[in-house]
Amino acid sequence: MNILIATEKPFAADAVGKIEQVIETAGYKTTLLEKYTEKQQLLETVTDVDAIIVRSDIIDAEVIKAAKNLKIVVRAGAGYDNVDLQAATARNIVVMNTPGQNSNAVAELTFGLMIYSARNFYDGSPGTELKGKRLGIHAYGNVGRNVARIARGFGMEIFAYDIFCPAEIIEKDGVIPLNSAEELYATCQYVSLHIPSTAETKNSINRALLENLPPKATLINTARKEVINETDLEEFMAARKDFRYITDIIPFNNANLKVKFPNRYFTTPKKIGAQTAEANNNAGIAAASQIVDFFKTGNRKFQVN
Ligand code: 3PG
């Protein structure tokens, strides 16, 4: 079996070594395609591989068509919106993710971004503290739970809304479950997004929802840019001069936001939420192990299609 690690944004070298070790111990071969800049490079490399490990790399119908021997794609991470599930399923290709493996890294960055904003982008002027502020966790999955755990240490009042997660689970963590996104946004000065990008959630963070936010609110996005209605966001930022948008995913309208709201808008230059040594090891090794297990025993535990 030939297993391709295709990462436009590479794992740490140490993690790559560990992933290769899992693959080679199983008697399989590793092919490495890192930092590629053209889709053509990916198309040429996939032609004879049996499995692919990716991060946010786009595995669309064209890539799947080019990968004649492909049997499994594992997204080393949580969100699998970068993989065309329909095209994969049509070829009986299994798609998996590695849930939870990088969630602490993303949760920690959420607080890095919150403090950076609360301290006025470290410009030296008096900022504010997180203690005593109300935090709204929008979706209570693996990242949301880690955010709640860390928020307790900061002494924040913690609320969550998740359409799929039962209230009892949220309450068990000392978090107050709310009944709607509107209620969450109306209650919390900080709202942290942890929803996946799906047909239902795309563009769902719109002006009507944002209008619920209290004065001096901050929206932190370490999830996906596609969930934001960016036209609405830009209009809302223009109307509400006390509102801040802080993100780990460069928006489509980054240039506009940067020019118009330099003191209330910040994006990391490249998505770094899961970019830690620990998260790279966890997600990368899990991806390789899931592939080996799938080939050796047929285990499909983390299949998403
Ligand atoms: C995920 O869905 O797991 C995160 O967004 C991490 O994405 P990355 O692997 O591109 O850093």
Side-chain angles (χ1 to χ4, degrees):
M1 296 289 172
N2 183 1
I3 297 163
L4 171 66
I5 305 170
T7 48
E8 171 274 320
K9 178 177 63 187
F11 293 116
D14 182 53
V16 175
K18 287 175 174 150
I19 297 166
E20 283 173 337
Q21 207 180 349
V22 172
I23 295 170
E24 275 140 41
T25 304
Y28 302 151
K29 177 188 162 196
T30 313
T31 300
L32 192 58
L33 176 67
E34 290 183 323
K35 289 187 188 170
Y36 58 93
T37 49
E38 304 297 328
K39 184 179 181 183
Q40 192 55 34
Q41 295 171 268
L42 181 60
L43 290 172
E44 281 163 20
T45 315
V46 296
T47 49
D48 62 348
V49 305
D50 300 279
I52 310 179
I53 296 173
V54 287
R55 298 187 64 175
S56 291
D57 308 75
I58 307 294
I59 303 297
D60 60 13
E62 197 185 356
V63 176
I64 286 171
K65 191 168 173 228
K68 304 261 178 289
N69 298 335
L70 188 61
K71 295 152 192 80
I72 178 168
V73 177
V74 180
R75 195 288 188 230
Y80 44 87
D81 47 306
N82 51 320
V83 182
D84 186 331
L85 296 187
Q86 229 180 331
T89 307
R91 282 256 324 271
N92 283 325
I93 293 164
V94 170
V95 181
M96 295 184 186
N97 66 348
T98 64
Q101 298 292 350
N102 58 20
S103 49
N104 180 63
V106 180
E108 287 189 9
L109 181 72
T110 301
F111 287 87
L113 294 174
M114 276 165 69
I115 292 175
Y116 186 55
S117 172
R119 297 302 180 98
N120 300 327
F121 306 155
Y122 302 157
D123 70 357
S125 64
T128 53
E129 299 179 18
L130 299 184
K131 188 178 176 189
K133 304 296 186 304
R134 294 178 154 205
L135 169 66
I137 303 175
H138 193 167
Y140 205 65
N142 289 311
V143 183
R145 283 159 218 223
N146 276 287
V147 167
R149 172 180 54 77
I150 300 167
R152 274 196 296 279
F154 276 100
M156 301 185 87
E157 244 186 291
I158 318 163
F159 300 81
Y161 168 65
D162 190 313
I163 195 169
F164 301 110
C165 184
E168 308 84 76
I169 305 257
I170 296 174
E171 276 166 353
K172 253 193 210 149
D173 291 347
V175 176
I176 302 166
L178 296 177
N179 294 319
S180 67
E182 286 72 16
E183 203 185 346
L184 188 79
Y185 284 58
T187 306
C188 299
Q189 181 185 344
Y190 285 95
V191 172
S192 189
L193 282 171
H194 303 292
I195 52 177
S197 174
T198 65
E200 290 76 37
T201 64
K202 273 185 188 154
N203 287 311
S204 65
I205 311 303
N206 56 25
R207 178 135 190 203
L209 183 59
L210 293 171
E211 292 284 2
N212 291 291
L213 288 165
K216 296 188 175 168
T218 303
L219 179 67
I220 301 111
N221 185 2
T222 54
R224 289 290 181 274
K225 65 181 170 189
E226 289 81 3
V227 302
I228 306 279
N229 182 321
E230 291 193 3
T231 309
D232 283 15
L233 174 75
E234 205 172 317
E235 280 176 21
F236 183 70
M237 288 196 82
R240 279 278 304 270
K241 306 214 179 311
D242 58 329
F243 168 78
R244 294 175 176 210
Y245 180 60
I246 312 294
T247 182
D248 184 35
I249 310 99
I250 301 175
F252 297 106
N253 62 354
N254 175 40
N256 273 352
L257 294 170
K258 232 170 151 169
V259 171
K260 288 187 177 167
F261 316 110
N263 304 320
R264 296 188 285 123
Y265 162 71
F266 172 77
T267 180
T268 53
K270 190 156 184 129
K271 189 162 70 133
I272 55 163
Q275 198 61 319
T276 65
E278 294 86 344
N280 283 186
N281 281 339
N282 294 345
I285 292 168
S289 305
Q290 286 171 213
I291 289 172
V292 168
D293 206 24
F294 171 73
F295 284 138
K296 302 267 183 203
T297 73
N299 189 343
R300 292 172 178 235
K301 184 166 175 206
F302 295 106
Q303 185 168 0
V304 294
N305 65 332

